[in-house]
């Protein structure tokens, strides 16, 4: 410490000199810094210069630091060995790469073979399952046949009847004629088809006396009837038209009788003949009353009790619309139910049984047992008293303002012209019809004319006189459309009419409209009804109805259809058993001969469906009241349900009471080939699909190079005669299933949705079951109906662009529904779906069924359809109002019922949370 202090203070310690130390220390630091600078700066420069100079020398062998070539390097022994190893490894790597590529190619080929084998195995499994199913069905059918213990049944050989007269038992008189003693059943075998021969009236003298309009209408009807034959030798029934005759040139009764007996197939007594006397006027006379008609049946509008033979003769309706179809726009609507007048009557009685107007008997005298011969006086007094009481608006007139129409004795003659009478009936809730005072006169042309006019305009007939025999009374339940009241109850009529509820009034009016349209309105209906009555009496089934022959358009198929995962993937929705069957057609309905008598009550009187006039269809729907037997005889096969009554699980059953069933897709298209192909491809792999019928609505044929997809089921492309939306509902003969899925070519539905809709339809086969719902609404300011497509909990229609329905309705739509509706569909190229909803609701009086929450079904990116036109909704408003006029009322029914599967997850908008969903 002492020395260190001395150095800092400039002192000397231990004998040293301070300045020498400081100088030497500085010299060393300076020299060290300079040396390092020289080394770091100049040495690299010198080295760089030296190396550059050496590399630029001419002698390449003297270059020490320059780069050398590969060969020069390989001259070194160990480097050469490394080069040889590198080349060997490269060759081996190339060989291994070639082998790897070869193995990859073989692996790809083997994978393809494996996939093909797997596909073959799956196909073999499917074929095996189908064979097992067929074997099982065959074994089951064999067991049924063995259980029935019946021999093989074939149709009997048709025996042609002899031309000679049959040995029929002779009745005591012609008035005792019935079918068992005046009809030759040998001419009408069960399998004959009911051939009818119609005489040509122009070939006989009385033909010139016939009313021209009636004769022309009758001939036009005969030409189009399916039962009429030109071969008289095989005919079952022979028909001759003898009226209505024109009075100035009417032949004498004896002359007409001789002409009838001289008919070539009269066979002495006229058995199996039908004499038709149609009346177009109320004053038609009963000139057949004085003619001997033998065993021939008579069909006319006027009968006396001594002339009419129950179960043999036929009371027909008058033929008012001889050569013209009824104008539905002139027919008043069926609502409102109550009209201006409670009831009305206009008529004048020309001749009475006695002068009862001068000899009025008291009510007490009638009770003592001395009933009057004519109640008309009391009827007049009572009705006038009701009119004078003014409790209700009533119009009764017993004296015509103008000259009354000619009438039979004791009959109330019609007053005024037909148009005037119709205007009064349009204002009347009920129409009184007073039967003739002569109780021996069962029915007259005048009464039949009053009944015709009342039904035509919706006035409920009130018939005073229970002895009356109304037209077709033995096959029609007149109590469902009219009130038949005995004349002694005239004092209770007013009370009775006021006590009927509005619902009953509307039901009777609707039934009366149905009867008028089906049996009275046209000459075709009158003639078809007469033939149907005779055919049903002798228990011959109706002829099969005509089906539309499908003219197929040739097309090439072979394009493998892919399966859209969005369409085919059902997720967790197991909506039925896995289908393993090939296309299976629905069993056609073959009417049993024993059901014909029952049809009198089931079909003829069921309103509002005109089932009996038309030949039966191969797919007649089964009514709920009918028992469903699969097979015949004792071979009843129970369907549905599990062993021991436990019932099948949801996933193991298809629903309904038919053990197996498929449906046919009917797709209407018009020059949208790409959209059509995409829609067809989406059907690939769809379970329970039997066939696809593409209705080609365009006059231009499909492109020749168009390749149609192969979806596993047949695709039938049908050519139509004209572009019409009605073609969607034609009963094509290629449709072999009861269930039809009508779908647009741009509809976009998943497979699970279609399967679920099919399940629901099987549970409600008489309804339209579909996806997009619509409803109708009443426009109060304009007093008309509107078509509405807004989202709503309520609906009354299901669009047939994606809906299931029974093929039976295709027959009704094409052949039974009024032609005026189909004409309007063609005019607007619109509204065919509304027309089908009107028809089904009119027939069943039930609303359609909507399934799932889907409201629209159009595919994204598809070209615009007709529904995108601005006039689309305006036209649909017009259609609804026109259809209401044709039907006479609004047949559509509202419903908030919707069917969803519990497996569907429905998302409802916040403003629709009040909608109820039925599961």
């Amino acid at each position: 410490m002492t020395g260190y202090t001395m150095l800092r203070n400039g002192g000397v310690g231990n004998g040293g000199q301070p300045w020498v130390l400081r100088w030497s220390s500085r010299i060393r630091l300076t020299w060290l810094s300079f040396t390092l600078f020289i080394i770091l700066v100049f040495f690299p420069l010198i080295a760089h210069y030296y190396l550059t100079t050496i590399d630029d020398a001419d002698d390449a062998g003297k270059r020490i630091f320059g780069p050398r070539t590969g060969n020069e390097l390989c001259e070194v022994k160990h480097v050469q060995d490394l080069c040889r190893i590198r080349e060997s490894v490269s060759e081996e790597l190339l060989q291994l790469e070639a082998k790897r590529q070869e193995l990859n190619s073989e692996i790809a080929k083997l994978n393809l073979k494996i996939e093909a084998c797997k596909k073959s195995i799956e196909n073999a499994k499917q074929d095996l399952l189908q064979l097992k199913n067929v074997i099982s069905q065959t074994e089951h059918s064999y067991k049924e046949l063995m259980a029935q213990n019946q021999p093989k049944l074939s149709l009997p050989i048709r025996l042609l009847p002899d031309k000679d007269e049959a040995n029929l038992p002779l009745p005591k008189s012609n008035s005792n004629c019935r079918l068992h003693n005046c009809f030759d059943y040998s001419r009408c075998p069960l399998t004959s088809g009911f051939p009818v021969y119609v005489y040509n009236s122009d070939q006989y003298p009385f033909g010139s006396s016939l009313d021209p309009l009636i004769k022309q209408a009758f001939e036009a009807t005969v030409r189009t009837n399916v039962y009429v034959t030109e071969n008289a030798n095989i005919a079952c029934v022979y028909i001759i038209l003898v009226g209505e005759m024109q009075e100035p040139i009417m032949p004498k009764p004896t002359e007409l009788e001789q002409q009838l007996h001289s008919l070539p197939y009269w066979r002495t007594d006229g058995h199996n003949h039908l004499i038709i006397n149609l009346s177009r006027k109320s004053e038609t006379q009963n000139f057949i009353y004085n003619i001997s008609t033998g065993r021939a049946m008579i069909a006319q509008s006027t009968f006396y009790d001594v002339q009419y033979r129950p179960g043999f003769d036929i009371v027909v309706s008058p033929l008012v619309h001889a050569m013209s179809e009824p104008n539905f726009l002139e027919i008043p609507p069926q609502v409102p139910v109550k009209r201006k007048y409670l009831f009305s009557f206009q008529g004048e009685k020309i001749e009475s049984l006695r002068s009862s107007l001068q000899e009025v008997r008291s009510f007490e005298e009638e009770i003592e047992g001395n009933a009057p011969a004519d109640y008309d006086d009391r009827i007049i007094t009572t009705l006038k008293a009701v009119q004078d009481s003014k409790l209700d608006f009533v119009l009764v007139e017993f004296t015509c303002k103008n000259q009354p129409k000619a009438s039979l004795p004791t009959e109330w003659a019609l007053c005024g012209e037909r148009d005037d009478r119709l205007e009064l009936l349009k204002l009347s809730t009920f129409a009184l019809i007073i039967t003739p005072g002569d109780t021996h006169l069962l029915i007259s042309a005048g009464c039949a004319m009053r009944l015709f006019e009342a039904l035509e305009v919706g006035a409920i007939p009130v018939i005073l006189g229970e002895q009356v025999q109304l037209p077709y009374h033995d096959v029609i339940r007149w109590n469902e459309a009219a009130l038949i009241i005995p004349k002694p109850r005239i004092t209770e009529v007013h009370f009775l009419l006021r006590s009927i509820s509005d619902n009953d009034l509307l039901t009777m009016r609707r039934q009366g409209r149905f009867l008028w349209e089906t049996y009275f309105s046209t000459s075709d209906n009158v003639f078809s009804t007469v033939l149907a009555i005779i055919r049903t009496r002798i228990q011959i089934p109706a002829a099969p109805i005509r089906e539309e022959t499908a003219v197929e358009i040739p097309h090439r198929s072979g394009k493998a259809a892919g399966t859209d995962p969005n369409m085919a993937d059902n997720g967790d929705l197991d909506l039925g058993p896995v289908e393993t069957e090939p296309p299976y057609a629905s069993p056609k309905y073959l009417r049993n001969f024993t059901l014909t008598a029952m049809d009198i009550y089931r079909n003829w009187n069921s309103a509002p469906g005109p089932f009996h006039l038309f030949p039966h269809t191969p797919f007649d729907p089964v009514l709920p009241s009918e028992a469903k037997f699969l097979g015949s005889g004792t071979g009843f096969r129970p369907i549905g349900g599990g062993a021991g009554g436990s019932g099948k699980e949801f996933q193991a059953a298809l629903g309904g009471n038919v053990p197996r069933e498929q449906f046919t897709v009917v797709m209407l298209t018009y020059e949208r080939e790409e959209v059509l192909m995409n829609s067809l491809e989406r059907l690939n792999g769809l379970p329970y699909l039997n066939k696809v019928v593409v209705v080609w609505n365009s006059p231009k044929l499909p492109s020749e190079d168009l390749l149609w997809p192969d979806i596993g089921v047949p695709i039938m492309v049908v050519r139509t005669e004209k572009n019409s939306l009605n073609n969607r509902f034609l009963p094509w003969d290629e449709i072999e299933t009861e269930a039809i899925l009508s779908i647009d070519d741009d509809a976009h539905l998943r497979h699970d949705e279609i399967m679920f809709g099919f399940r629901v339809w099987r549970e409600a086969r008489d309804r339209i079951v579909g996806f997009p719902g619509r409803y109708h609404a009443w426009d109060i300011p304009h007093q008309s109906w509107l078509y509405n497509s807004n989202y709503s909990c309520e609906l009354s229609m299901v669009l047939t662009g994606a809906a299931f329905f029974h093929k039976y309705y295709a027959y009704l739509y094409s052949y039974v529904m009024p032609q005026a509706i189909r004409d309007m569909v063609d005019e607007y190229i619109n509204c065919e779906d509304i027309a089908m909803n009107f028809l089904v609701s009119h027939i069943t009086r039930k609303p359609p069924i909507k399934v799932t929450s889907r409201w629209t079904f159009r595919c994204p990116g598809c070209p615009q359809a007709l529904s995108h036109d601005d006039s689309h909704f305006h036209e649909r408003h017009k259609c609804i109002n026109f259809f209401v006029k044709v039907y006479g009322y609004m047949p559509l029914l509202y419903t908030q019922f919707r069917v969803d599967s519990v497996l569907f997850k429905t998302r409802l908008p916040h403003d629709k949370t009040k909608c109820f969903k039925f599961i």
Side-chain angles (χ1 to χ4, degrees):
M1 288 298 295
T2 306
Y4 175 75
T5 306
M6 291 177 65
L7 286 174
R8 294 192 59 184
N9 297 329
V12 178
N14 295 332
Q17 298 177 359
W19 65 270
V20 175
L21 293 175
R22 289 196 297 270
W23 181 84
S24 60
S25 185
R26 290 176 181 175
I27 292 297
R28 286 195 298 269
L29 291 174
T30 302
W31 176 251
L32 180 62
S33 299
F34 178 78
T35 303
L36 289 176
F37 175 78
I38 294 298
I39 293 172
L40 294 175
V41 174
F42 289 97
F43 182 77
L45 293 175
I46 295 171
H48 180 267
Y49 173 79
Y50 177 76
L51 291 174
T52 305
T53 304
I54 295 302
D55 290 339
D56 290 340
D58 294 334
D59 189 2
K62 297 181 179 180
R63 289 182 298 179
I64 299 175
F65 300 99
R68 296 179 180 270
T69 62
N71 294 331
E72 292 177 342
L73 292 176
C74 290
E75 291 179 358
V76 183
K77 185 177 181 179
H78 68 277
V79 175
Q80 291 178 353
D81 293 339
L82 292 176
C83 290
R84 285 194 299 270
I85 293 173
R86 186 189 65 179
E87 293 176 356
S88 176
V89 171
S90 299
E91 291 179 358
E92 290 180 359
L93 290 176
L94 292 175
Q95 292 177 0
L96 290 175
E97 178 65 19
K99 290 182 179 180
R100 187 184 68 83
Q101 293 179 359
E102 183 179 354
L103 290 176
N104 288 337
S105 177
E106 293 180 359
I107 291 173
K109 293 179 180 179
L110 292 176
N111 287 333
L112 292 176
K113 291 182 179 180
I114 291 173
E115 294 296 330
C117 291
K118 289 181 178 180
K119 188 174 182 181
S120 300
I121 293 173
E122 292 296 330
N123 293 336
K125 289 182 178 179
Q126 294 294 332
D127 295 340
L128 180 60
L129 290 176
Q130 292 180 3
L131 290 175
K132 288 182 178 180
N133 196 5
V134 171
I135 293 173
S136 176
Q137 293 293 335
T138 304
E139 292 177 350
H140 193 83
S141 301
Y142 175 76
K143 292 179 180 179
E144 282 188 344
L145 292 175
M146 295 300 295
Q148 292 173 9
N149 194 21
Q150 292 181 351
K152 182 179 179 180
L153 183 64
S154 59
L155 293 176
I157 299 176
R158 174 77 185 277
L159 299 178
L160 297 179
D162 297 331
K163 295 183 180 179
D164 300 333
E165 61 176 294
N167 296 323
L168 297 175
L170 296 176
K172 295 181 180 180
S173 65
N174 292 335
S175 60
N176 295 329
C177 263
R178 300 296 184 270
L179 288 176
H180 68 276
N181 58 7
C182 289
F183 190 85
D184 184 9
Y185 280 91
S186 65
R187 301 195 64 87
C188 306
L190 292 176
T191 58
S192 64
F194 191 60
V196 175
Y197 179 80
V198 181
Y199 289 98
N200 186 0
S201 301
D202 293 335
Q203 298 179 356
Y204 305 97
F206 62 85
S208 58
S209 303
L210 295 176
D211 185 299
L213 289 179
I214 287 185
K215 182 169 66 174
Q216 186 178 358
F218 183 78
E219 292 174 353
T221 300
V222 167
R223 285 193 296 267
T224 58
N225 195 275
V226 296
Y227 297 106
V228 175
T229 179
E230 295 181 357
N231 188 356
N233 294 325
I234 64 171
C236 169
V237 176
Y238 301 84
I239 297 178
I240 182 67
L241 178 68
V242 299
E244 180 176 56
M245 288 191 175
Q246 304 178 73
E247 293 187 1
I249 55 177
M250 182 184 301
K252 297 180 180 180
T254 54
E255 296 176 356
L256 180 59
E257 181 178 330
Q258 293 176 358
Q259 295 175 21
L260 290 177
H261 292 180
S262 63
L263 294 175
Y265 304 101
W266 186 262
R267 298 186 181 91
T268 69
D269 58 2
H271 61 271
N272 290 42
H273 275 65
L274 173 65
I275 300 174
I276 298 181
N277 178 24
L278 299 177
S279 59
R280 194 167 60 91
K281 305 174 184 177
S282 61
E283 58 269 21
T284 300
Q285 300 297 318
N286 184 15
F287 61 89
I288 301 181
Y289 182 76
N290 297 320
I291 295 177
S292 174
T293 57
R295 295 179 176 178
M297 296 174 285
I298 300 175
Q300 62 179 9
S301 300
T302 303
F303 277 104
Y304 285 94
D305 56 356
V306 295
Q307 180 189 16
Y308 180 70
R309 296 163 292 185
F312 194 74
D313 294 328
I314 302 174
V315 180
V316 299
S317 61
L319 186 60
V320 178
H321 301 287
M323 289 301 296
S324 62
E325 294 286 339
N327 188 354
F328 292 99
L329 298 181
E330 296 180 356
I331 300 175
Q334 299 184 25
V335 289
V337 178
K338 300 288 182 62
R339 297 178 177 178
K340 178 179 179 180
Y341 299 111
L342 177 64
F343 62 83
S344 63
F345 177 81
Q346 284 182 328
E348 183 174 343
K349 196 168 185 179
I350 306 300
E351 181 180 350
S352 176
L353 286 175
R354 57 183 178 82
S355 57
S356 57
L357 294 176
Q358 301 174 357
E359 182 182 351
V360 180
R361 305 181 60 179
S362 64
F363 182 71
E364 290 76 9
E365 292 176 332
E366 296 172 7
I367 282 194
E368 292 177 357
N370 300 320
D374 194 349
Y375 279 99
D376 290 356
D377 299 331
R378 178 169 293 279
I379 292 175
I380 294 173
T381 304
T382 304
L383 295 182
K384 284 185 176 180
V386 173
Q387 185 179 27
D388 296 338
S389 66
K390 297 183 179 181
L391 295 176
D392 294 289
F393 285 106
V394 173
L395 192 150
V396 289
E397 296 178 353
F398 300 103
T399 303
C400 295
K401 298 177 182 179
N402 300 321
Q403 181 67 25
K405 304 293 183 180
S407 61
L408 297 176
T410 74
E411 181 186 13
W412 287 91
L414 292 172
C415 296
E417 299 299 328
R418 167 178 159 80
D419 293 340
D420 298 331
R421 297 194 300 269
L422 291 180
E423 290 300 322
L424 175 60
L425 292 174
K426 291 178 182 179
L427 302 175
S428 305
T429 305
F430 296 95
L432 294 185
I433 301 176
I434 305 176
T435 59
D438 185 0
T439 56
H440 298 290
L441 183 58
L442 300 180
I443 185 66
S444 64
C447 285
M449 185 65 68
R450 289 180 182 272
L451 178 65
F452 181 96
E453 294 176 352
L455 295 176
E456 181 178 6
V457 296
I460 300 175
V462 179
I463 302 169
L464 298 178
E466 78 283 4
Q467 81 284 355
V468 67
Q469 300 292 341
L470 298 179
Y472 321 124
H473 63 91
D474 51 347
V475 292
I476 293 180
R477 292 179 179 175
W478 278 107
N479 59 349
E480 296 179 355
L483 295 173
I484 303 176
I485 304 174
K487 287 185 177 181
R489 293 192 179 275
I490 183 59
T491 57
E492 302 172 328
V493 168
H494 187 211
F495 165 79
L496 177 61
L497 299 185
R498 297 185 70 184
S499 63
I500 300 177
S501 65
D502 289 353
N503 289 335
D504 292 339
L505 289 176
L506 185 58
T507 301
M508 297 181 70
R509 183 173 295 164
R510 187 184 301 121
Q511 177 71 1
R513 172 72 176 270
F514 159 72
L515 296 178
W516 178 80
E517 290 182 359
T518 308
Y519 309 110
F520 292 73
S521 58
T522 64
S523 58
D524 287 340
N525 292 343
V526 172
F527 186 67
S528 298
T529 303
V530 170
L531 293 185
I533 290 176
I534 299 176
R535 177 182 54 76
T536 307
R537 284 176 177 176
I538 61 179
Q539 298 180 335
I540 294 182
I545 197 170
R546 176 177 62 90
E547 288 191 307
E548 292 294 327
T549 303
V551 180
E552 184 178 6
I553 299 178
H555 61 281
R556 293 188 304 159
S557 61
K559 176 183 177 183
T563 302
D564 188 347
N566 295 326
M567 295 292 101
D569 186 13
N570 298 334
D572 297 331
L573 302 179
D574 295 328
L575 297 175
V578 178
E579 184 191 53
T580 59
E581 295 184 356
Y584 172 76
S586 299
K588 292 190 175 181
Y589 178 76
L590 303 178
R591 177 168 294 172
N592 195 322
F593 296 115
T594 58
L595 295 179
T596 306
M598 189 174 66
D599 289 342
I600 295 177
Y601 304 100
R602 178 174 70 96
N603 288 346
W604 288 37
N605 302 315
S606 297
F611 298 114
H612 83 283
L613 287 185
F614 306 93
H616 75 80
T617 72
F619 301 108
D620 282 348
V622 179
L623 298 184
S625 59
E626 294 184 13
K628 182 69 175 180
F629 289 88
L630 303 179
S632 58
T634 59
F636 171 68
R637 177 169 58 189
I639 52 183
S646 59
K648 287 187 176 181
E649 295 181 357
F650 181 80
Q651 292 84 356
L654 185 58
N657 294 311
V658 181
R660 57 175 181 168
E661 188 172 20
Q662 296 177 346
F663 61 88
T664 301
V665 168
V666 177
M667 186 177 296
L668 188 72
T669 186
Y670 186 89
E671 296 185 0
R672 297 200 294 182
E673 294 181 353
E674 183 179 357
V675 175
L676 175 63
M677 295 302 107
N678 293 334
S679 296
L680 291 176
E681 288 186 4
R682 286 194 292 269
L683 298 177
N684 184 32
L686 178 61
Y688 311 109
L689 178 59
N690 178 270
K691 183 186 301 182
V692 178
V693 177
V694 177
V695 181
W696 192 264
N697 227 20
S698 171
K700 181 181 177 182
L701 296 179
S703 304
E704 295 181 358
D705 58 347
L706 183 63
L707 197 60
W708 295 70
D710 183 5
I711 60 175
V713 297
I715 297 179
M716 173 70 65
V717 185
V718 178
R719 186 175 185 176
T720 57
E721 296 181 356
K722 64 176 182 178
N723 177 22
S724 172
L725 294 180
N726 293 316
N727 296 332
R728 180 195 297 271
F729 302 124
L730 285 175
W732 302 104
D733 56 359
E734 289 294 333
I735 301 177
E736 299 177 327
T737 60
E738 295 183 17
I740 295 177
L741 173 58
S742 174
I743 189 170
D744 288 341
D745 58 359
D746 58 354
H748 201 265
L749 293 174
R750 301 193 311 270
H751 288 186
D752 59 292
E753 293 176 318
I754 296 177
M755 291 173 61
F756 182 66
F758 184 47
R759 287 198 63 135
V760 175
W761 178 86
R762 284 170 55 88
E763 303 284 351
R765 308 173 71 87
D766 60 337
R767 315 272 281 275
I768 297 178
V769 177
F771 300 89
R774 301 292 186 266
Y775 67 97
H776 66 289
W778 179 251
D779 185 8
I780 298 178
H782 298 88
Q783 293 294 295
S784 62
W785 294 102
L786 295 177
Y787 171 84
N788 202 312
S789 63
N790 296 331
Y791 289 84
S792 172
C793 300
E794 195 167 54
L795 63 100
S796 59
M797 293 174 282
V798 166
L799 300 187
T800 54
F804 286 92
F805 64 90
H806 200 288
K807 187 181 179 182
Y808 185 75
Y809 294 124
Y811 297 100
L812 295 183
Y813 184 97
S814 303
Y815 304 142
V816 179
M817 189 179 69
Q819 181 64 36
I821 296 179
R822 294 191 292 271
D823 292 341
M824 190 167 195
V825 171
D826 288 336
E827 178 183 355
Y828 286 150
I829 316 180
N830 199 343
C831 307
E832 85 287 355
D833 47 358
I834 300 178
M836 176 58 82
N837 278 271
F838 266 70
L839 175 66
V840 177
S841 296
H842 174 66
I843 296 296
T844 63
R845 302 305 303 136
K846 298 176 183 179
I849 296 179
K850 173 176 170 52
V851 293
T852 76
S853 60
R854 179 185 286 265
W855 200 262
T856 60
F857 54 89
R858 300 298 177 187
C859 64
C862 293
Q864 287 190 351
L866 294 175
S867 58
H868 293 88
D869 192 354
D870 294 338
S871 61
H872 176 74
F873 286 94
H874 184 64
E875 292 172 351
R876 293 172 86 81
H877 299 330
K878 290 184 177 180
C879 288
I880 287 185
N881 288 280
F882 179 78
F883 296 165
V884 169
K885 290 182 180 179
V886 173
Y887 282 98
Y889 74 110
M890 170 54 76
L892 299 179
L893 300 173
Y894 292 108
T895 181
Q896 292 193 3
F897 180 84
R898 194 186 85 206
V899 182
D900 282 350
S901 171
V902 293
L903 301 179
F904 276 100
K905 297 178 176 61
T906 303
R907 296 180 180 178
L908 294 177
H910 67 280
D911 58 340
K912 300 298 179 183
T913 55
K914 294 182 179 180
C915 295
F916 289 94
K917 178 178 64 175
F918 295 86
I919 299 175

